[in-house]
């Protein structure tokens, strides 16, 4: 390719121009300074991180992506976080109609109350955790079946029509009615157990808001409004979600019409069963509602005042009699317990006295033994002497009561000499002889 060159003359300087001669400096340059420049910014930080941990670009990007996922999960670990069921993780994506879409996204506790924002956040969290690319990067061999379940759940729950159809058959959002026994345990139990049941059913109402069950302080008008509403309940609930799949091939139109008729009949049957179920539920609640009985009773109060007064008096008499009977039984029981305790204490006292008497008798026998059976120290004691002394001791102790035994044992306590011990025994024998408990001369060794 040829090039063309063009010469242009410099502009002509104006007349009288004398800049080189007239130039005057108005300042001077400063002396140069040595300054250190430090690298900053995200790219330098990434470079420093790779150098420090000795990573390649791909390794660092993968690790950073994992940390970002964990950060997102931690940020969303508030109201949309729940443990994942291992059985759910192994579901077949083809059986998407049988899966719990809310459980797949971790929204089991929210269900039909879940907002669009919560559904999107839950979907984002699940995708970041179970995306096939992430699984492959971490070396997991798990297939993408559960990821397809996640996508299907998101598709259903973000489509208002499909979500409404699924909510119609979401049995996990239903609350079973309480048993008659459970609801009648207390005045508050009825409203506490039945209230959530009707709040759950209220999600199918075409008319909003739905009257509340109330409590025992609700007026007659409020109660009548509640039951009138539910006896005339208009439900938008449908059962298309459980339809059998209609074949798409146009060649078999008869089969397609047959399946459609079959689905329509099934929907009507389920709708009728649901209406009957709801009617039975309202009847059961009405039957156990004490407010209805109270209102009927108040309505008959004017006509049946005498009968009600008589019944009230009878109830009062019965209650008073019951109370008096219970009080009497209580007094009798306390008396029996006191007598029983007294017997136990008496028995313990007798046992203690008996044990003390045995101990004192041992002390008395030991006193004569320690005093060499009342013979001078060093003198040999024969068997006859032992028998005579112990016989006299038995005779004396047999005529003493527990207090006298204790007193005699106290006198003999610490005495070891035969003369001292013998004197105490002689004094006791003389006392017994004076009181007539012993015959004079009956003692062979203690009285002499």
């Amino acid at each position: 390719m040829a090039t063309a060159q063009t010469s242009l003359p410099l502009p002509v300087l104006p007349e009288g121009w004398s800049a080189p001669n007239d130039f005057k400096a108005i300042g001077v340059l400063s002396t140069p300074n040595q300054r250190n420049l430090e690298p900053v910014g995200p790219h330098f930080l990434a470079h420093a991180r790779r150098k420090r941990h000795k990573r390649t670009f791909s390794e660092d990007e993968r690790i950073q992506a994992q940390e970002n996922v964990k950060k997102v999960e931690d940020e969303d670990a508030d109201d949309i976080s729940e443990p994942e069921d291992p059985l759910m993780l192994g579901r077949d994506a083809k059986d998407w109609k049988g899966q719990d879409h809310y459980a797949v996204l971790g929204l089991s506790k929210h269900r039909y109350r879940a907002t669009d924002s919560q559904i999107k956040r839950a979907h984002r969290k699940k995708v970041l955790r179970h995306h096939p690319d992430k699984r492959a990067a971490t070396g997991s061999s798990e297939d993408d079946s559960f990821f397809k379940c996640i996508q299907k759940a998101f598709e259903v729950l973000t489509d208002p029509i499909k979500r409404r159809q699924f909510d119609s058959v979401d049995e996990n959002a239903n609350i079973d009615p309480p048993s008659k026994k459970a609801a009648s345990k207390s005045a508050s139990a009825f409203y506490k157990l039945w209230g959530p049941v009707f709040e759950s059913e209220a999600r199918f109402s075409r008319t909003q808001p739905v009257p509340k069950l109330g409590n025992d302080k609700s007026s007659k008008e409020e109660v009548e409004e509640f039951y009138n509403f539910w006896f005339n309940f208009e439900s938008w609930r449908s059962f298309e979600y459980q339809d059998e799949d209609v074949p798409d091939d146009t060649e078999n139109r008869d089969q397609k019409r047959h399946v459609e008729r079959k689905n329509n009949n099934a929907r009507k049957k389920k709708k009728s069963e649901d209406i009957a179920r709801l009617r039975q539920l309202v009847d059961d609640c009405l039957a156990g509602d004490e407010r209805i009985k109270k209102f009927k009773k108040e309505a008959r109060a004017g006509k049946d005042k005498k009968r009600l007064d008589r019944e009230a008096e009878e109830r009062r008499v019965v209650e008073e009699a019951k109370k008096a009977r219970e009080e009497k039984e209580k007094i009798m029981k306390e008396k029996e317990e006191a007598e029983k305790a007294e017997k136990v204490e008496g028995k313990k006292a007798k046992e203690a006295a008996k044990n003390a008497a045995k101990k004192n008798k041992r002390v008395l026998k030991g006193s004569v033994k320690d005093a060499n059976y009342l013979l001078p120290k060093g003198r040999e004691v024969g068997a006859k002497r032992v028998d005579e002394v112990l016989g006299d001791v038995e005779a004396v102790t047999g005529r003493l009561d527990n207090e006298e035994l204790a007193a005699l044992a106290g006198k003999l306590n610490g005495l070891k000499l035969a003369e001292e011990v013998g004197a105490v025994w002689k004094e006791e024998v003389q006392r017994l002889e004076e009181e007539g408990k012993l015959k004079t001369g009956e003692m062979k060794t203690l009285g002499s």
Side-chain angles (χ1 to χ4, degrees), residues 95-111:
D95 185 25
W96 61 271
K97 275 196 172 184
Q99 75 178 21
D100 184 349
H101 298 310
Y102 290 111
V104 169
L105 294 183
L107 297 169
S108 297
K109 62 183 179 182
H110 296 281
R111 297 201 169 274

Side-chain angles (χ1 to χ4, degrees), residues 83-312:
E84 294 178 334
D85 185 0
L87 296 177
M88 182 180 64
L89 296 176
R91 285 193 60 86
D92 184 2
K94 295 180 180 179
D95 185 25
W96 61 271
K97 275 196 172 184
Q99 75 178 21
D100 184 349
H101 298 310
Y102 290 111
V104 169
L105 294 183
L107 297 169
S108 297
K109 62 183 179 182
H110 296 281
R111 297 201 169 274
Y112 63 91
R113 301 184 188 88
T115 63
D116 292 340
S117 174
Q118 289 174 326
I119 293 173
K120 291 177 181 178
R121 287 166 54 205
H123 173 255
R124 177 169 174 255
K125 180 178 178 180
K126 292 292 182 178
V127 167
L128 288 174
R129 181 180 296 177
H130 296 283
H131 196 282
D133 293 344
K134 182 187 176 185
R135 293 288 179 180
T138 57
S140 174
S141 59
E142 181 181 334
D143 58 18
D144 61 346
S145 180
F146 185 64
F147 181 75
K148 293 179 180 178
C149 293
I150 295 171
Q151 295 301 90
K152 192 65 182 180
F154 183 69
E155 175 190 338
V156 171
L157 297 182
T158 51
D159 186 315
I161 297 176
K162 293 180 179 179
R163 182 181 181 183
R164 193 180 181 93
Q165 292 175 352
F166 175 72
D167 287 341
S168 293
V169 297
D170 184 11
E171 299 294 336
N172 293 318
N174 296 338
I175 299 177
D176 295 331
S179 63
K180 184 177 180 181
K181 182 178 180 181
S184 59
K185 279 186 177 180
S186 63
S188 60
F190 177 85
Y191 310 104
K192 185 177 180 180
L193 296 176
W194 274 106
V197 175
F198 284 100
E199 288 177 6
S200 173
E201 296 292 338
R203 69 187 191 272
F204 300 124
S205 176
R206 294 183 182 277
T207 304
Q208 295 291 343
V210 177
K212 300 291 184 181
L213 177 62
N215 52 41
D216 56 347
K217 294 181 176 59
S218 299
S219 64
K220 182 179 179 181
E221 291 74 17
E222 292 172 337
V223 175
E224 289 178 348
E225 179 188 5
F226 173 80
Y227 285 107
N228 288 336
F229 178 87
W230 284 99
F231 278 124
N232 299 283
F233 187 75
E234 294 184 6
S235 173
W236 56 259
R237 190 176 189 182
S238 61
F239 298 89
E240 295 96 338
Y241 191 82
Q242 296 175 340
D243 282 355
E244 180 182 341
D245 292 335
V246 179
D248 294 332
D249 54 337
T250 55
E251 297 179 359
N252 196 349
R253 295 181 179 178
D254 292 338
Q255 176 65 16
K256 183 176 181 180
R257 293 192 189 97
H258 171 71
V259 174
E260 289 176 348
R261 285 195 299 270
K262 186 178 178 180
N263 286 337
N264 287 331
N265 292 334
R267 289 181 208 163
K268 291 178 181 178
K269 181 180 178 181
K270 292 174 182 176
K271 186 71 173 179
S272 300
E273 291 174 350
D274 184 61
I275 293 173
R277 177 195 65 82
L278 184 60
R279 180 58 185 261
Q280 184 61 48
L281 186 145
V282 178
D283 288 339
D284 292 342
C285 180
L286 179 66
D289 196 337
E290 293 294 331
R291 297 173 300 181
I292 301 299
K293 300 175 184 179
K294 183 182 72 172
F295 296 148
K296 290 181 179 179
K297 189 174 181 180
E298 291 174 353
R300 296 193 302 266
K303 299 178 182 180
D304 303 332
K305 187 175 185 306
K306 292 182 179 180
R307 180 178 60 81
L308 293 175
D309 292 342
R310 185 177 66 254
E311 290 177 355

Side-chain angles (χ1 to χ4, degrees), residues 364 396-409 411 423-440 443 446-447:
L364 297 180
V396 172
T397 57
R399 290 168 173 80
L400 299 177
D401 58 23
N402 292 335
E403 293 181 357
E404 291 172 335
L405 284 172
L408 182 57
K411 293 178 181 179
V424 174
W425 278 107
K426 184 177 181 179
E427 181 184 349
E428 187 66 21
V429 169
Q430 289 176 354
R431 186 183 68 80
L432 292 176
E433 288 176 349
E434 291 173 357
E435 294 178 358
K437 296 182 180 179
L438 278 177
K439 295 180 180 179
T440 305
M443 297 292 100
L446 299 181

